Amino acid sequence: MYNDTLDYLEKIYEPDLRNLLKRCYQCGRCSGVCQLSKVQKYAPSKIIELILEGFEDRVLESGELWDCLTCNQCLKDCPEDINFADIVRIARYKMRHFANQNPDEIVAHKGIYTTISEIMSRPYITPERSLDWVPKGCKISDKGNVLYYVGCLPFFNYEFENLDSIATSTLKILCQIEKEPIVVFKEENCCGHDIYWGQGKLKTFIKLAMKNMEMFEKAGISKIVTACAECYRTFKVDYPNIFEDFNDKFDVKHVIEYIYEKWKENLIQFHNPNKKSEKIPFTYHDPCRLSRFLPKDNNIMEKVREIFKEFKDLGYDFNEMEHNQKNALCCGVSSWMNCNEKSKALRYKRMLEAKSAGDIMVTSCPKCRIHLSCLQDDFEDIASIEILDFSEFLINHIKLIKPDIKGEEKK
Amino acid sequence: MPKAKTKVIRKDFTPEILVFCCNWCSYAGADLAGVSRFQYPPNMRIIRVMCSGRVDPAFVIKALKEGADGILITGCHIGDCHYISGNEYAQERFGRLHEIIIKQLGINEKRVRLEWVSASEGKRFADLITEFTNQIKELGPLKVL
């Protein structure tokens, strides 16, 4: 077991950071576009140069890299495709294990949520999640084809409100469309995203991944649907880095993709039972994990916009914010690191953009929703915006096109 | 590379128990138990906090992560808090911790407990520790290797 972990670690860890940076020709664009550099002194290009010149230990000792938002804006604008977020991830592992740094004091919410994921990675822990949020009339089982991966939502109830409705509405949508019962695990583990990106605990991440893989295989799942942007990115890109055959075995879908496909297959249509004469303006916040963090051939951003175009006839008016798609601003906190006045400034900026674009802000990452709605308690001028998850927004606007009725008519 | 911690399991399991005591009541109660020479099992560590309201659920979760087998939070009786409502706050927070986090993690709820012990209840403190230790002993170690 222990040797396995080390074998897998080689696949996601690079001892010499310089190998990843050799292509850099110091154009400095990363420091120019860096979202964090707008609110504090922080320059990725300087850090890259220091590492290339052989002062890696100085960078690690300064602890500067704990501040990075890992929003990947620098990768998007980099002419040489240098993945700075990956450098940060590996550097965090090094800072923790070789520079003896512990960021526990700066982790948001005293590190409760990251500690929970760590406890879940232990082999002797089997979570017993409450399934109170499962809507009535929805059939769930332990074994089957389609899995709804809930993520950390039930644990967030500890401090945040109304998050169950994301899970409830996603499962309602799935139940409407699928005929078989949906698989929802009672003993579901964390996907390990926060530990992987924020905490630098790569070995814990591998343990979680192995535990999850085992569980999926045991239940005989072929399709994983999730409503969380972070879980999606982790299953789509980071797990295949460890297990090469992950994407062949399991078909990972975000709820957006899932609905888009069913819509294109003519299984569902959108409608609005309470249509009003006046159009409601709304906007969409792109989570970084669904825009900049995905491979280039993934067009989930265009898909969601295509769905929203359909809403024009349904009494809604879709507006883009000033920064959108791959240039979308960060929600300010990533992987529960660094919730402070600087991140609040970033969030406030985002909320002002949202306010000028519409009354409703739809997003597809539960954490973006948490972070942005948390700010609404502090500032009155942005409190009027309603922040909804994608599935919460769609739940009342989906209608099944019933093939049964057509069949009966033929008879 | 940090070495993997190996724990030798003895046949007689001695649980590791963490006790949070509030400065004004429970710590004095523990003191009284010592002064009055009441016997209680020695396998617990006391951490003194100013008020039971100071005990952040993060402490409890972290202790579980680090390998504590049981955690006991003690404070003044409701209405006796030195800071007027600190223990009520602790009670409310503890309820959520229990219901939402400990239960959902699949950890036996009996391992984490909230009790009220006043400064004059030396005997009760000793009895409580004895009873809690026996309970944890029955449950066995949290970390099954």
Side-chain angles (χ1 to χ4, degrees):
Chain A
M1 181 84 176
Y2 197 62
N3 286 335
D4 267 11
T5 318
L6 289 182
D7 287 346
Y8 288 133
L9 185 67
E10 275 174 18
K11 295 183 187 175
I12 54 169
Y13 176 67
E14 168 66 54
D16 193 359
L17 288 179
R18 276 179 292 184
N19 290 344
L20 298 169
L21 294 170
K22 274 180 185 157
R23 297 190 307 275
C24 175
Y25 54 70
Q26 285 291 309
C27 64
R29 213 179 282 182
C30 41
S31 302
V33 295
C34 176
Q35 302 201 3
L36 189 63
S37 73
K38 309 277 188 293
V39 287
Q40 79 174 60
K41 206 178 159 192
Y42 186 78
S45 60
K46 190 183 145 200
I47 293 164
I48 290 173
E49 183 67 12
L50 275 171
I51 293 173
L52 279 174
E53 297 289 339
F55 297 108
E56 193 189 303
D57 43 346
R58 211 197 278 177
V59 173
L60 297 187
E61 262 166 41
S62 72
E64 209 177 354
L65 287 174
W66 291 118
D67 291 348
C68 180
L69 297 169
T70 63
C71 69
N72 241 0
Q73 184 72 42
C74 41
L75 171 69
K76 190 242 145 195
D77 284 305
C78 181
E80 287 289 311
D81 278 344
I82 287 172
N83 198 336
F84 189 71
D86 244 10
I87 312 276
V88 172
R89 171 175 68 75
I90 295 165
R92 281 180 179 169
Y93 178 81
K94 282 186 163 185
M95 280 147 87
R96 191 179 272 282
H97 290 92
F98 309 129
N100 282 327
Q101 286 177 19
N102 194 348
D104 282 358
E105 274 175 26
I106 53 164
V107 180
H109 300 271
K110 306 234 170 60
I112 275 197
Y113 301 108
T114 45
T115 319
I116 288 174
S117 342
E118 249 178 278
I119 292 179
M120 277 195 255
S121 76
R122 306 277 159 89
Y124 50 88
I125 293 282
T126 7
E128 281 172 37
R129 290 164 175 250
S130 95
L131 296 175
D132 295 344
W133 53 269
V134 174
K136 275 178 197 165
C138 268
K139 278 182 195 164
I140 55 167
S141 74
D142 319 334
K143 276 184 185 167
N145 242 338
V146 184
L147 164 76
Y148 170 44
Y149 190 86
V150 189
C152 315
L153 288 172
F155 289 100
F156 289 159
N157 275 343
Y158 174 65
E159 275 167 307
F160 311 106
E161 286 164 2
N162 289 333
L163 283 167
D164 275 353
S165 71
I166 298 179
T168 311
S169 27
T170 311
L171 194 62
K172 258 187 196 165
I173 293 174
L174 289 178
C175 278
Q176 266 181 28
I177 298 170
E178 295 285 332
K179 278 164 199 147
E180 294 166 35
I182 309 290
V183 183
V184 176
F185 287 131
K186 207 169 181 182
E187 60 280 357
E188 183 188 299
N189 294 302
C190 172
C191 68
H193 170 276
D194 298 342
I195 288 198
Y196 186 66
W197 290 100
Q199 297 276 316
K201 291 179 179 167
L202 299 181
K203 279 182 207 156
T204 316
F205 173 72
I206 292 164
K207 277 179 205 157
L208 275 172
M210 286 182 346
K211 227 176 153 183
N212 275 330
M213 183 84 174
E214 198 183 318
M215 203 164 70
F216 294 162
E217 276 177 346
K218 219 186 240 172
I221 282 150
S222 62
K223 195 181 211 172
I224 303 172
V225 182
T226 172
C228 171
E230 295 180 332
C231 297
Y232 177 72
R233 144 85 202 189
T234 311
F235 289 146
K236 199 87 184 169
V237 185
D238 298 325
Y239 276 27
N241 283 342
I242 301 176
F243 316 108
E244 280 87 6
D245 53 348
F246 189 85
N247 271 351
D248 305 332
K249 278 184 190 161
F250 310 110
D251 185 17
V252 186
K253 288 261 180 293
H254 193 275
V255 126
I256 296 176
E257 276 183 305
Y258 182 81
I259 289 175
Y260 181 84
E261 269 172 24
K262 297 291 166 190
W263 177 48
K264 286 283 157 189
E265 283 170 21
N266 270 331
L267 283 172
I268 51 169
Q269 65 183 27
F270 304 115
H271 75 129
N272 190 357
N274 316 313
K275 196 174 164 182
K276 282 167 192 158
S277 56
E278 212 173 289
K279 281 193 173 184
I280 306 168
F282 77 105
T283 184
Y284 178 68
H285 166 76
D286 288 275
C288 54
R289 261 67 185 166
L290 285 189
S291 52
R292 296 182 286 266
F293 261 87
L294 291 178
K296 274 177 186 146
D297 55 333
N298 198 312
N299 49 358
I300 204 162
M301 287 179 308
E302 285 85 44
K303 281 177 186 167
V304 71
R305 280 174 174 79
E306 214 171 301
I307 293 175
F308 285 153
K309 248 181 216 167
E310 199 73 1
F311 275 77
K312 235 174 198 177
D313 311 328
L314 303 175
Y316 287 98
D317 189 16
F318 177 60
N319 295 322
E320 288 285 9
M321 281 189 258
E322 194 186 330
H323 294 89
N324 56 54
Q325 304 208 12
K326 288 217 163 180
N327 287 322
L329 293 184
C330 177
C331 70
V333 190
S334 123
S335 330
W336 297 116
M337 304 292 284
N338 299 310
C339 176
N340 50 26
E341 68 279 9
K342 285 157 194 156
S343 93
K344 277 191 178 160
L346 287 170
R347 276 181 266 170
Y348 187 61
K349 218 166 128 190
R350 189 56 169 167
M351 287 306 279
L352 285 185
E353 274 187 15
K355 201 186 175 188
S356 61
D359 300 341
I360 301 175
M361 180 195 213
V362 182
T363 180
S364 42
C365 173
K367 273 191 203 146
C368 286
R369 203 189 108 169
I370 290 174
H371 301 319
L372 293 171
S373 53
C374 163
L375 195 73
Q376 289 184 313
D377 301 336
D378 297 356
F379 294 94
E380 271 179 22
D381 54 334
I382 51 167
S384 63
I385 306 164
E386 195 182 352
I387 304 174
L388 289 176
D389 194 81
F390 181 76
S391 41
E392 281 175 301
F393 179 68
L394 249 72
I395 178 72
N396 291 326
H397 301 316
I398 283 189
K399 206 165 79 178
L400 222 57
I401 304 176
K402 281 183 184 160
D404 313 351
I405 299 169
K406 281 178 196 166
E408 276 169 24
E409 277 170 2
K410 273 176 196 170
K411 278 174 196 172
Chain B
M1 210 67 30
K3 280 175 196 166
K5 280 177 198 164
T6 45
K7 200 169 147 189
V8 185
I9 312 173
R10 285 182 222 138
K11 274 179 190 168
D12 49 334
F13 161 61
T14 51
E16 281 168 20
I17 293 170
L18 195 67
V19 185
F20 290 99
C21 284
C22 97
N23 182 43
W24 304 100
C25 294
S26 316
Y27 197 74
D31 227 10
L32 185 67
V35 172
S36 323
R37 307 198 173 195
F38 296 128
Q39 296 284 325
Y40 60 82
N43 36 27
M44 56 115 178
R45 317 267 195 288
I46 291 185
I47 292 180
R48 183 176 63 152
V49 287
M50 286 311 276
C51 177
S52 50
R54 172 70 182 92
V55 182
D56 196 295
F59 300 168
V60 177
I61 297 171
K62 204 172 173 196
L64 288 171
K65 187 197 109 192
E66 301 289 344
D69 297 305
I71 291 150
L72 186 63
I73 304 166
T74 55
C76 311
H77 286 272
I78 293 287
D80 289 351
C81 180
H82 188 80
Y83 305 100
I84 297 157
S85 61
N87 49 7
E88 286 165 19
Y89 185 58
Q91 196 176 27
E92 187 264 323
R93 204 146 64 151
F94 182 84
R96 269 187 296 145
L97 167 79
H98 225 213
E99 203 59 32
I100 295 169
I101 296 180
I102 304 291
K103 254 190 197 172
Q104 293 204 73
L105 273 177
I107 294 171
N108 197 320
E109 318 151 47
K110 286 176 188 163
R111 288 183 191 276
V112 186
R113 206 150 104 179
L114 179 69
E115 289 283 348
W116 309 130
V117 179
S118 86
S120 58
E121 293 175 327
K123 180 78 185 128
R124 185 175 131 72
F125 184 83
D127 291 347
L128 179 67
I129 297 293
T130 319
E131 188 230 334
F132 188 60
T133 313
N134 287 338
Q135 198 178 47
I136 299 293
K137 265 185 186 163
E138 257 171 48
L139 289 172
L142 176 63
K143 199 176 182 177
V144 187
L145 290 169

